[in-house]
Amino acid sequence: MIEFIATVLGATLRISTPILLSGLGETLIERAGILNLGIEGTMLLAAFNGFVVAQTTGSLFAGLAAAMLTGVVLGLLMGFLTVTLGLNQHVSGLGITLLASGLALFSFRLLYGGASTPPSLPESFRVIPILSGTPLGPVLSQYGLTYLALLLVPVLSLAITRTTFGLRLRAVGENPEAADMAGINVYRMRYLALIIGGALIGLGGAFLSLAQLGAFTHGIISGRGWVAIAIVIFGNWQPVKVLAGALLFGGLQALQLRLQAEGVPLPYEALLALPYILTIIALAIAGRNASYPAALLKPYRREG
Amino acid sequence: MLGFRLERSPAPLWVRSLIPLIAVAITFLIVSVLILIAGAHPGEAFYELLINPLTRPTARAEILVKATPLLLTGVAVAFAFAGGYYNIGAEGQLYAGAVAAAWAGTQLHEQPALVAIPVMLVCGFAAGMLWALPPAILRIRLGVDEVVTTLLLNSVMLFFVSALLNGPWRDPISNWPQSPTIAASAQFPQLFARTRIHLGFLVAVLALLAFWWIFTRTRFGLELRAAGLGREAARFMGVRVGRVVLIAALISGGIAGLAGVSEVAGTHYHLIDALSPGYGYTAIIIATLGATTAPGVLMATLFLALVDIGILSASRQLNIPVYLGDIIQACLLLVALATLLLNRYSLRRSQP
């Protein structure tokens, strides 16, 4: 029983990692007043670019850098469309998802042809063994990126609530007119959020291709970006609660995988759909009191 | 010194009427780079993409087959967008309609086509409406943003379809994850001999005409447009915005449901989980390119369907990955979105 719980907890942390990393990135971006629906495609292209660079250079860290750079570049594109040009955020974000996914799959086909087995890395990131041999081993032995993601939760939480950066970020997301009058450069703050957030979203994608799978496939992201959007809302735009949302999703998924492996018959799709339904219910309960960043979806135009 | 400045006034009419062409030109410029990377000649690739399908009768027919679900989902999304309701859930609503059609289609073995087909259409429309209802209610009653809720419900619907196909609906004969084949009388008839164009295309054209008529000729259409332009102003004019948006959201879901019926009853004859390669998302491109008007939606649909068929021949002849089609669609969307700014701003030469 203890072994069962330990493996499920370990799998929970592993499965939560990519959505947590991307969810934290999305949190920063939404706090600045931008709903970035480009997240799903950004994760896919970042996973792909990270994989290709790691494979050609033989360096996993170069792969990580490429994935983060991908996130930054797509963040800048989102910024150009929605911050500079002031275009509709939903449509721009979906456009970026379609574009980035198309680019990833187009390049994948060009470089690897119609390979029937997905290309994999000779060596991918390994889990760091901690207390292996003890009951806690399966829980604590995780990838370095998982620990990085967990570490980012308090860091970002403090950055948002206790630093000047966080104060400015929130000001820009809540009331850009007032922020502008207080001397904050609204455009620059929003770009900054898209750059940092984009890098984190890229890391989320890279975790899958460079660590968890060590390979690239078409369906490597399969909706994890949308889950990240859900947990940001579910987590009320607060990193600690976003972590709770990620663990809830990861836990349900881990439990489902484990029960399926044990041959327990259950409609596992119901468990997988649960986080989405819970998010919608959470939104319904919060209703008009949901603490959306007040300027979310609103382009800012400086008068004059 | 001669400089340019951005002015908050619409560009001249002749510039604005060229917006779609400008968008297409810029897109093709960007895409040319990718075609070169793929080792093909852009001129030949554009011939395969845009001209070749029009020269062959079978490919011309396939364009209309492809246009059928795109036109239905495009009209669905445009209807909602016009009222300022961002229905990103057409994909899920399409599958809701498809589930209803796959269910009804297997219950109607005793019925003639004249009964079976209308019953299926009604069921699909109702299912699409039902799936569109919760986000619409949440938006109107509680002010919950519909973009996120409709988007998340797409994933929920896909899980539901997967549960059905791997569970109670798994075809007992083939044991594939596909529902049993629908009754012969429920299958849409072909409209023209030796083509795959089916009754669904007629349904799509009727939906487009209905959209055009409601939008331009009825009081409801006027109220819808007013709500889309600005909720506060519309309310001031005496429009019951909540009611108008609710009806638009439901009709939108219903029409997207019809796209699901059309794919099940006209093309596949059973439900599969890969029924739609993202028609509900392409519909967002169509509604945006078509500026939520009926003629615009028709033009955008036909163009995207042409590219969808053309990319197949470009892929066969020139070995260009088919995903170039997705990239063209996405580029076109983003470029069009940016060039539509010319409706509001213009670049003018500043006086020295």
Side-chain angles (χ1 to χ4, degrees):
Chain A
M1 188 62 197
I2 287 178
E3 194 208 328
F4 176 84
I5 295 174
T7 41
V8 168
L9 285 179
T12 299
L13 284 173
R14 198 158 49 249
I15 295 169
S16 305
T17 304
I19 24 173
L20 178 58
L21 283 166
S22 302
L24 290 174
E26 182 77 17
T27 303
L28 277 182
I29 296 171
E30 292 194 19
R31 272 295 178 104
I34 295 165
L35 176 68
N36 180 17
L37 293 183
I39 186 170
E40 176 83 10
T42 304
M43 287 178 78
L44 185 66
L45 189 57
F48 176 75
N49 286 346
F51 176 82
V52 171
V53 168
Q55 205 192 33
T56 45
T57 63
S59 159
L60 290 167
F61 286 97
L64 277 188
M68 289 169 77
L69 188 65
T70 305
V72 170
V73 169
L74 291 173
L76 289 174
L77 176 61
M78 183 73 183
F80 175 69
L81 295 169
T82 61
V83 179
T84 304
L85 296 181
L87 300 175
N88 179 311
Q89 293 181 4
H90 314 137
V91 184
S92 303
L94 282 170
I96 288 179
T97 280
L98 295 172
L99 179 67
S101 309
L103 281 172
L105 300 180
F106 176 84
S107 319
F108 181 59
R109 177 60 64 84
L110 272 188
L111 290 176
Y112 299 95
S116 52
T117 51
S120 59
L121 293 169
E123 199 167 359
S124 53
F125 281 113
R126 295 217 193 113
V127 293
I128 306 163
I130 296 175
L131 292 179
S132 50
T134 73
L136 278 176
V139 185
L140 295 178
S141 299
Q142 297 287 349
Y143 296 103
L145 280 171
T146 303
Y147 281 108
L148 175 71
L150 292 173
L151 186 69
L152 278 171
V153 174
V155 170
L156 288 179
S157 191
L158 290 174
I160 290 173
T161 53
R162 299 284 159 80
T163 66
T164 326
F165 164 79
L167 185 70
R168 290 184 173 164
L169 184 78
R170 282 179 289 141
V172 162
E174 295 292 336
N175 191 338
E177 288 79 12
D180 195 351
M181 269 193 280
I184 301 169
N185 187 329
V186 177
Y187 300 122
R188 201 166 62 195
M189 247 358 255
R190 289 190 165 171
Y191 266 104
L192 193 59
L194 280 163
I195 289 171
I196 304 173
L200 290 177
I201 292 171
L203 270 186
F207 176 81
L208 290 161
S209 61
L210 299 181
Q212 197 178 338
L213 294 179
F216 183 84
T217 64
H218 279 201
I220 193 166
I221 305 301
S222 58
R224 283 183 177 82
W226 306 141
V227 176
I229 298 261
I231 64 167
V232 172
I233 298 165
F234 187 79
N236 233 336
W237 296 272
Q238 295 167 22
V240 176
K241 291 188 184 168
V242 169
L243 169 65
L247 290 175
L248 172 71
F249 173 84
L252 286 170
Q253 181 113 336
L255 193 65
Q256 167 256 317
L257 285 172
R258 187 72 201 166
L259 292 176
Q260 232 186 352
E262 308 251 325
V264 179
L266 83 171
Y268 66 92
E269 288 91 351
L271 282 180
L272 292 179
L274 203 57
Y276 297 93
I277 296 169
L278 286 177
T279 301
I280 294 172
I281 292 172
L283 275 172
I285 291 171
R288 289 193 198 282
N289 303 321
S291 40
Y292 280 105
L296 197 66
L297 301 174
K298 297 193 182 73
Y300 180 66
R301 279 276 150 271
R302 201 173 181 168
E303 299 301 324
Chain B
M1 210 180 88
L2 277 180
F4 289 93
R5 67 202 158 83
L6 210 55
E7 228 175 53
R8 190 171 294 206
S9 66
L13 189 62
W14 69 269
V15 173
R16 278 185 283 154
S17 57
L18 287 177
I19 286 177
L21 283 180
I22 298 173
V24 170
I26 297 177
T27 299
F28 280 10
L29 213 61
I30 299 172
V31 170
S32 294
V33 179
L34 295 173
I35 293 172
L36 285 170
I37 292 174
H41 187 277
E44 286 173 28
F46 289 136
Y47 175 81
E48 296 295 335
L49 270 170
L50 304 175
I51 312 290
N52 186 13
L54 297 175
T55 60
R56 293 176 295 129
T58 44
R60 279 203 297 267
E62 282 302 302
I63 292 172
L64 296 186
V65 174
K66 196 77 185 173
T68 301
L70 288 177
L71 193 54
L72 281 165
T73 49
V75 167
V77 171
F79 211 109
F81 275 27
Y85 182 84
Y86 285 92
N87 178 14
I88 310 294
E91 186 78 358
Q93 291 143 16
L94 178 151
Y95 275 100
V99 167
W103 175 78
T106 47
Q107 311 294 316
L108 296 162
H109 278 286
E110 309 296 317
Q111 307 299 330
L114 270 178
V115 177
I117 289 174
V119 166
M120 235 179 355
L121 287 171
V122 169
C123 285
F125 195 90
M129 266 172 65
L130 201 64
W131 202 244
L133 184 65
I137 297 267
L138 287 178
R139 154 72 188 276
I140 290 153
R141 292 266 171 244
L142 300 168
V144 176
D145 179 45
E146 72 277 12
V147 172
V148 173
T149 47
T150 51
L151 180 71
L152 296 184
L153 280 180
N154 287 343
S155 303
V156 175
M157 178 49 76
L158 281 173
F159 284 125
F160 179 60
V161 168
S162 157
L164 279 178
L165 294 180
N166 289 305
W169 279 17
R170 184 186 280 268
D171 191 343
I173 298 164
S174 70
N175 206 27
W176 283 99
Q178 65 184 33
S179 70
T181 304
I182 60 172
S185 62
Q187 298 177 3
F188 283 178
Q190 255 69 50
L191 292 185
F192 307 102
R194 288 189 303 281
T195 72
R196 299 201 308 143
I197 303 170
H198 53 80
L199 185 68
F201 183 68
L202 198 63
V203 174
V205 171
L206 288 176
L208 181 78
L209 288 175
F211 172 52
W212 174 80
W213 182 76
I214 292 174
F215 203 62
T216 60
R217 294 282 185 275
T218 67
R219 184 180 165 75
F220 177 76
L222 188 71
E223 292 182 341
L224 185 69
R225 277 181 290 164
L229 287 173
R231 265 167 239 161
E232 290 312 314
R235 216 163 265 142
F236 192 70
M237 282 165 56
V239 176
R240 287 158 70 191
V241 175
R243 186 173 149 272
V244 169
V245 168
L246 178 68
I247 294 172
L250 293 184
I251 293 179
S252 174
I255 298 174
L258 289 183
V261 177
S262 162
E263 284 306 283
V264 166
T267 309
H268 297 279
Y269 307 127
H270 48 239
L271 179 65
I272 50 172
D273 61 3
L275 190 74
S276 159
Y279 293 130
Y281 298 107
T282 309
I284 294 161
I285 304 181
I286 291 173
T288 307
L289 288 181
T292 69
T293 64
V297 165
L298 178 64
M299 300 271 284
T301 301
L302 290 176
F303 184 77
L304 292 189
L306 168 67
V307 170
D308 262 345
I309 299 302
I311 193 66
L312 296 177
S313 87
S315 164
R316 250 194 327 269
Q317 304 289 335
L318 305 169
N319 224 359
I320 298 172
V322 288
Y323 301 104
L324 189 74
D326 300 346
I327 299 176
I328 293 176
Q329 288 186 357
C331 271
L332 201 54
L333 172 70
L334 294 177
V335 174
L337 207 56
T339 44
L340 282 171
L341 279 179
L342 292 171
N343 280 330
R344 285 189 283 143
Y345 297 93
S346 56
L347 212 54
R348 283 181 207 270
R349 206 168 256 179
S350 51
Q351 301 301 319

